[in-house]
Amino acid sequence: MNRVKESQCKTHNSRAEVTNLSLSNRRDPSNDNQNTLPYKHVVLKEKLTNNNMPYDESEWYGDDFKKSGLIKVAGELDLKDFYDSKEHVDCQVDPRIPVHRQYVRRVEANEFGAGDASAANNNNNIKNDESTTCQNRRDLSQTAPRLPLTPKRVRGGSTSKKLLPTVHRVLLYNSQSPRASRKQQSSSFRSQNAKQQSSKAQAGVLSTVILVEPDARVALNKSPIDFDRDDDIDEDDDLDNISNFDESDTVSVSSDNEDGYRAHAYKLTHSVDRFSTQTSPSILSSSSEDDMKNPDSLLVPSLFPYVPPYLSFSSNTKKGPKVPAELHRVLKWRMTNIMPKVVRLILANSGMRMLKKTNDWMGVWGKHLKSPCFKTIRSYQKINHLPGSFRIGRKDSCWKNLQRQINKHSNKEFGFMPRTYIIPNDLGTLRKHWPKYAQRNTKWIIKPPASARGTGIRVINRWAQIPKRRPLIVQKYIERPLLINGSKFDLRLYVLVTSVNPLRVYMYHNGLARFASVKYSAKTDTLNDRCMHLTNYSINKFSSNYSKNEDVNACHGHKWTIKSLWTYLANRGVHTDSLWEALRGLVLRTILAGENGMNSMIRANVESKYSCFELFGFDVILDSDLVPWLLEVNISPSLHSELPLDAHVKAPLVQGVLNTALYNVPPKLTQEKQKELAAEYSFPPETPLCYDKRLYINYLSRDEKAKHNTFTRKSMEHREEYIDSILQTLTPDDVRCLIIAEDELARCAPLERIFPTDRTHKYLKYNDSPRYYNRLLDAWESRYANNRIEGIALLRSYCQNKYHLQVPAPPAKKVSNASGDHISVNTEMPVHT
């Protein structure tokens, strides 16, 4: 074996010492004459030079080679085995290149040719400086060739026809960014390994090794799947190139097909001729002025005897009726920083005390609490949130629950949310489907999973525009929206949930239509125009094109009321009642998708049925066929009223929500004071004035449990089996449930109860398990929806005998004594009926 020639390179201020060498495969000595590499990966660890340390050639080879820190990966390898007679090492140092970025090249001395010269011209990364001083430098008759780069992929999937030398590009770095290291490592191990196998078999192949820092060994051992999770891999940019796309190579995206839902919704919204000659009266045609009437009295009696009266809230513009001093003293609301101005005005006009520091409050309008915090709420206190409402209030959770219902039922019924991918969990699935989407030129909207008001939202159409590691939502963009005056718009619907078990849902008969301030265009070069593709008021209000709508009944500007929009559509022949019915169905199916999770969280964290309610904001867009699509659900919809139109919509909404939530006077008044106030308000004798916790208990007697088990057994699958029998004998718990439902319904204006009704029994099949109270209210509505006076009279007869106040003893709670043993104690005083 010929002696290896080596040059020692000197610089005036630094020098590198190579201490570790890792080799993954040891070559077979019988293959010495072959022009193949005797290894798969080369990793050299580099230290910054010490100018005071003498250089010793024994560190490179000799008996002390092993002592210098050789790391064996797959077996030992001596440098004498590493180089053969035809190989040499050419070490050059460019003073312009930092010492910690050195390159060791392994080249074939006798294989340089014309083709190599042309390949050398492609190397823009490593240049040899002819002025570099090297001792014992080999006298070359021609300039040493530059290291060839990886063949650059040409658009269309084809590479250069000219055979370029194979390069093992593993970059050496000490202080380089992770982004650059991932690019180089990914390029080396994903794209070139396959090309090596074919190029090595041909003669005249140049092999180049660039050293890498051992700290990157972990990255080198990563599989291609691990690299798929990286944020900035440029290899995937080629996914947008569809010129070489073969449909057989891509997984089918038939599951993304929304045609089932689209056809179903189209029939629903066009159940009556779309271009009819006259429109039927709708709930949306009611007058808004009637919504803001002040009550005659602060306390409004229940429909039933021996049930406490409810607080009646005034408007935001007029002072309500006078409140007695003793009553005003106990009506404490806790102020929060996020309480909207319209809420504060309504509470102040209604005679509430607004306090910032108090734990003895009766109500609060604030931010959402963590679920365990609901356990600290006292039974007579009410908060404007439900535990677990994030099941539909977060974009990722909402999609997961809807997808679960699609798998359980059908896409026709729950496919109303555009196809959504949750990054990074669904990144692999999206990558598989992306070529198909790229072929269709599909556009996407990306947004954070738990943001609001347009934060972090943009429209994209290329794979490289998607952050790969940050949590976000990638959702199909509705490319053919319904346009009015050339602009796209969406709807903000307000939905109140006062109870989950039983489920009671109310929908505000008004809302907002929010327009983009720039006329819509489907061209891809407009995707960066947020004021064209996004309808959020918080974004468009800064546009120079934004036009305020000063007339609440007018159909101009970039924000309308839904009533104005319905009038506009009705005048053009659209049957708005059918469209409103489709929106009701979309809202109910969304809530039912998250009902099971919310119910579990409420049972675990809420003591009283009185304590919670939730106002949701549903964002819906209509496509050109009047098919509604759910964009997202907001847990805390904005109630700020910057414009008169906002106040016109949101003030009646807040007043209606507070009235429907059925607030009672806190139990802070003595019996004597309650009797005096009851006489002052002309209530019947013995009418309780304050909150009665017996009406809202969540535990049952033995007989009530037996009835619940009977009517929720799995064998009872058909509605006919319970529709009559469940009402034959009402328990005290049944009466309490029906009392609250009837009192809410009587006070819900301007909201409309959309569940339960005599036509919503078809939605009960979407519950994961049968709910007794839902079946009870279904049977009640089926019998008394069209004869409500008779049903109310029946409940009044029960209440007259105080049947609804018969409650079992509270269940014993287990607590630990000093010795650590669990004992059962009653935490409440016995209830006297």
Side-chain angles (χ1 to χ4, degrees):
M1 180 178 292
N2 294 337
R3 205 178 89 188
V4 178
K5 295 181 180 179
E6 177 175 356
S7 298
Q8 177 179 349
C9 304
K10 294 182 179 181
T11 60
H12 62 282
N13 54 2
S14 61
R15 190 160 47 90
E17 176 185 3
V18 180
T19 59
N20 293 337
L21 174 64
S22 298
L23 302 175
S24 59
N25 285 335
R26 185 172 182 175
R27 68 166 181 158
D28 188 351
S30 63
N31 297 330
D32 284 345
N33 296 328
Q34 297 181 7
N35 293 325
T36 58
L37 290 177
Y39 56 89
K40 288 187 178 178
H41 307 298
V42 172
V43 180
L44 291 185
K45 180 178 180 181
E46 176 191 76
K47 291 182 179 179
L48 292 177
T49 59
N50 185 348
N51 293 330
N52 299 323
M53 182 181 293
Y55 180 81
D56 189 358
E57 293 182 356
S58 65
E59 294 184 12
W60 282 92
Y61 38 80
D63 295 336
D64 295 332
F65 179 66
K66 298 179 181 178
K67 297 180 182 179
S68 62
L70 178 63
I71 299 176
K72 305 173 182 60
V73 177
E76 296 184 359
L77 180 65
D78 191 88
L79 284 183
K80 295 179 180 180
D81 296 331
F82 184 78
Y83 300 106
D84 57 22
S85 59
K86 294 184 179 181
E87 297 169 337
H88 69 277
V89 175
D90 183 12
C91 177
Q92 304 180 68
V93 176
D94 189 337
R96 296 171 300 179
I97 301 177
V99 175
H100 68 279
R101 293 173 59 91
Q102 298 184 16
Y103 300 87
V104 178
R105 299 177 298 141
R106 178 181 181 271
V107 298
E108 300 292 341
N110 300 324
E111 297 298 330
F112 298 144
D116 300 324
S118 64
N121 293 333
N122 293 328
N123 186 359
N124 295 322
N125 296 329
I126 304 173
K127 295 183 178 180
N128 295 322
D129 190 349
E130 294 298 333
S131 64
T132 303
T133 303
C134 292
Q135 296 179 359
N136 301 325
R137 182 177 181 180
R138 178 168 52 92
D139 185 18
L140 295 176
S141 59
Q142 56 182 2
T143 303
R146 300 172 182 174
L147 295 179
L149 285 177
T150 304
K152 196 167 185 180
R153 191 172 182 84
V154 182
R155 184 173 294 275
S158 61
T159 57
S160 176
K161 294 181 180 180
K162 197 166 195 176
L163 180 61
L164 295 178
T166 302
V167 180
H168 300 273
R169 302 195 66 234
V170 188
L171 183 60
L172 172 69
Y173 69 94
N174 267 356
S175 58
Q176 200 171 14
S177 68
R179 171 186 172 94
S181 67
R182 284 196 299 268
K183 288 182 181 179
Q184 299 291 349
Q185 293 154 12
S186 174
S187 175
S188 173
F189 290 96
R190 292 185 59 194
S191 63
Q192 293 195 18
N193 283 348
K195 298 177 184 177
Q196 274 185 353
Q197 303 302 324
S198 59
S199 61
K200 284 181 181 180
Q202 304 179 20
V205 173
L206 284 173
S207 298
T208 304
V209 177
I210 305 175
L211 306 184
V212 71
E213 184 181 358
D215 293 342
R217 270 182 241 157
V218 176
L220 290 173
N221 293 329
K222 289 172 69 174
S223 66
I225 296 178
D226 296 325
F227 280 113
D228 287 346
R229 301 190 182 100
D230 285 345
D231 192 5
D232 299 308
I233 296 180
D234 293 337
E235 292 260 338
D236 290 337
D237 293 353
D238 198 52
L239 288 174
D240 296 309
N241 186 358
I242 62 172
S243 59
N244 220 17
F245 174 67
D246 183 4
E247 293 189 9
S248 62
D249 295 336
T250 305
V251 179
S252 173
V253 291
S254 58
S255 59
D256 295 354
N257 193 346
E258 297 98 353
D259 288 344
Y261 165 72
R262 189 189 303 275
H264 172 74
Y266 184 88
K267 291 179 181 178
L268 186 59
T269 56
H270 298 76
S271 57
V272 180
D273 291 342
R274 178 178 176 182
F275 301 101
S276 56
T277 56
Q278 60 182 15
T279 57
S280 57
S282 171
I283 188 173
L284 300 178
S285 62
S286 59
S287 173
S288 297
E289 286 73 11
D290 296 337
D291 299 341
M292 297 300 294
K293 284 185 176 180
N294 274 5
D296 297 329
S297 172
L298 176 65
L299 296 179
V300 177
S302 168
L303 297 175
F304 310 99
Y306 300 104
V307 175
Y310 305 105
L311 295 176
S312 186
F313 292 86
S314 302
S315 70
N316 65 319
T317 56
K318 297 180 182 178
K319 197 76 174 175
K322 186 177 180 180
V323 181
E326 289 296 324
L327 186 57
H328 176 71
R329 181 179 59 84
V330 300
L331 300 180
K332 301 175 184 178
W333 275 72
R334 184 170 181 174
M335 286 280 293
T336 63
N337 294 330
I338 67 169
M339 180 181 286
K341 181 179 179 181
V342 64
V343 177
R344 295 200 305 268
L345 290 175
I346 288 177
L347 294 176
N349 288 343
S350 302
M352 306 293 118
R353 295 179 62 191
M354 313 297 291
L355 304 175
K356 289 186 177 180
K357 296 182 179 180
T358 179
N359 292 326
D360 192 26
W361 46 269
M362 59 165 290
V364 63
W365 193 290
K367 65 180 182 180
H368 204 287
L369 302 178
K370 294 183 178 179
S371 295
C373 296
F374 284 86
K375 295 179 180 179
T376 64
I377 298 176
R378 300 169 185 172
S379 63
Y380 63 87
Q381 294 176 330
K382 194 184 288 284
I383 188 172
N384 64 315
H385 291 293
L386 290 167
S389 58
F390 64 87
R391 300 281 181 171
I392 61 174
R394 279 182 61 102
K395 302 172 185 65
D396 49 358
S397 298
C398 183
W399 169 254
K400 289 178 182 178
N401 285 296
L402 288 175
Q403 192 67 21
R404 182 174 57 86
Q405 292 286 36
I406 289 175
N407 296 334
K408 185 177 180 180
H409 298 284
S410 71
N411 189 55
K412 179 182 74 173
E413 296 165 301
F414 286 91
F416 46 78
M417 193 172 190
R419 184 63 170 94
T420 301
Y421 294 91
I422 303 171
I423 304 301
N425 294 345
D426 295 339
L427 187 60
T429 305
L430 180 58
R431 179 182 284 108
K432 273 196 245 181
H433 295 166
W434 190 268
K436 176 77 75 173
Y437 293 133
Q439 188 184 42
R440 300 172 180 175
N441 196 25
T442 304
K443 299 179 182 66
W444 302 84
I445 185 167
I446 60 175
K447 43 193 172 183
S451 67
R453 302 182 182 179
T455 304
I457 302 179
R458 58 194 180 101
V459 182
I460 59 102
N461 68 330
R462 296 190 63 81
W463 176 261
Q465 296 171 302
I466 303 176
K468 307 302 189 299
R469 301 182 70 176
R470 193 186 338 153
L472 54 85
I473 298 300
V474 181
Q475 187 179 82
K476 264 190 178 181
Y477 183 69
I478 303 297
E479 299 188 40
R480 294 193 305 114
L482 181 65
L483 303 179
I484 294 181
N485 299 327
S487 297
K488 65 176 291 187
F489 65 94
D490 73 347
L491 308 177
R492 166 59 62 87
L493 307 175
Y494 297 98
V495 178
L496 172 66
V497 177
T498 58
S499 172
V500 173
N501 187 22
L503 185 62
R504 297 194 299 268
V505 184
Y506 299 83
M507 193 167 173
Y508 186 37
H509 70 195
N510 206 347
L512 294 173
R514 305 171 300 181
F515 287 78
S517 55
V518 177
K519 293 187 181 299
Y520 180 77
S521 172
K523 296 180 179 179
T524 56
D525 57 358
T526 66
L527 296 185
N528 291 330
D529 193 339
R530 286 160 57 87
C531 293
M532 174 187 294
H533 296 281
L534 303 182
T535 58
N536 306 72
Y537 171 71
S538 56
I539 293 175
N540 283 276
K541 67 180 181 180
F542 298 108
S543 171
S544 58
N545 297 328
Y546 189 81
S547 173
K548 297 180 180 179
N549 187 357
E550 302 294 343
D551 186 354
V552 297
N553 296 316
C555 296
H556 61 74
H558 291 109
K559 185 182 287 189
W560 302 0
T561 66
I562 285 187
K563 286 186 178 181
S564 299
L565 175 65
W566 256 231
T567 302
Y568 177 91
L569 295 177
N571 292 337
R572 283 153 181 80
V574 176
H575 198 276
T576 55
D577 284 347
S578 298
L579 183 56
W580 192 249
E581 181 62 30
L583 294 173
R584 288 192 196 102
L586 181 149
V587 166
L588 286 178
R589 287 181 171 89
T590 304
I591 293 174
L592 285 166
E595 182 267 352
N596 186 59
M598 287 191 287
N599 184 58
S600 299
M601 300 293 282
I602 291 172
R603 291 182 60 186
N605 297 287
V606 178
E607 175 188 351
S608 172
K609 297 178 181 179
Y610 173 83
S611 299
C612 305
F613 66 90
E614 186 84 56
L615 177 65
F616 293 99
F618 281 68
D619 290 346
V620 179
I621 190 170
L622 302 177
D623 67 15
S624 57
D625 293 324
L626 293 178
V627 174
W629 298 90
L630 176 67
L631 300 180
E632 62 187 38
V633 182
N634 296 274
I635 291 178
S636 298
S638 173
L639 295 176
H640 295 290
S641 305
E642 298 182 13
L643 303 174
L645 183 142
D646 292 311
H648 176 81
V649 171
K650 297 173 183 178
L653 167 66
V654 173
Q655 185 184 21
V657 166
L658 295 175
N659 285 332
T660 309
L662 299 184
Y663 282 85
N664 289 134
V665 177
K668 301 295 181 180
L669 298 175
T670 63
Q671 290 292 334
E672 292 75 11
K673 184 57 63 176
Q674 290 188 51
K675 290 181 180 179
E676 293 177 8
L677 290 173
E680 183 178 346
Y681 281 100
S682 303
F683 292 152
E686 300 184 7
T687 298
L689 200 69
C690 296
Y691 164 85
D692 190 341
K693 63 184 177 183
R694 292 173 292 182
L695 294 172
Y696 303 98
I697 61 172
N698 55 13
Y699 48 89
L700 304 172
S701 67
R702 182 175 301 176
D703 293 338
E704 290 167 347
K705 288 180 181 179
K707 186 179 180 184
H708 280 231
N709 293 334
T710 299
F711 287 96
T712 56
R713 64 181 187 270
K714 293 183 179 180
S715 59
M716 186 175 288
E717 299 179 355
H718 302 289
R719 184 172 181 246
E720 292 74 14
E721 298 180 55
Y722 69 81
I723 196 67
D724 294 322
S725 56
I726 199 172
L727 296 177
Q728 287 180 356
T729 303
L730 295 178
T731 65
D733 181 66
D734 294 341
V735 175
R736 289 191 290 269
C737 174
L738 297 172
I739 284 173
I740 301 303
E742 288 296 333
D743 276 342
E744 274 187 3
L745 182 62
R747 296 171 45 80
C748 69
L751 282 72
E752 167 201 8
R753 192 170 78 179
I754 62 174
F755 192 96
T757 69
D758 57 340
R759 295 181 295 173
T760 54
H761 58 87
K762 61 184 179 181
Y763 295 101
L764 296 180
K765 62 182 179 181
Y766 302 134
N767 285 121
D768 288 348
S769 58
R771 306 281 188 216
Y772 172 83
Y773 292 120
N774 287 347
R775 288 184 168 182
L776 174 67
L777 288 175
D778 176 35
W780 181 263
E781 290 299 315
S782 177
R783 181 178 297 185
Y784 297 110
N786 298 320
N787 190 13
R788 199 161 295 279
I789 295 177
E790 181 181 345
I792 291 174
L794 175 63
L795 294 178
R796 286 180 62 86
S797 65
Y798 280 107
C799 294
Q800 196 66 45
N801 298 323
K802 298 183 179 180
Y803 184 68
H804 62 296
L805 300 179
Q806 297 178 14
V807 297
K813 292 185 178 180
K814 291 184 178 180
V815 296
S816 298
N817 58 15
S819 61
D821 298 328
H822 293 288
I823 58 176
S824 298
V825 296
N826 263 339
T827 57
E828 298 185 31
M829 296 296 294
V831 179
H832 300 284
T833 59

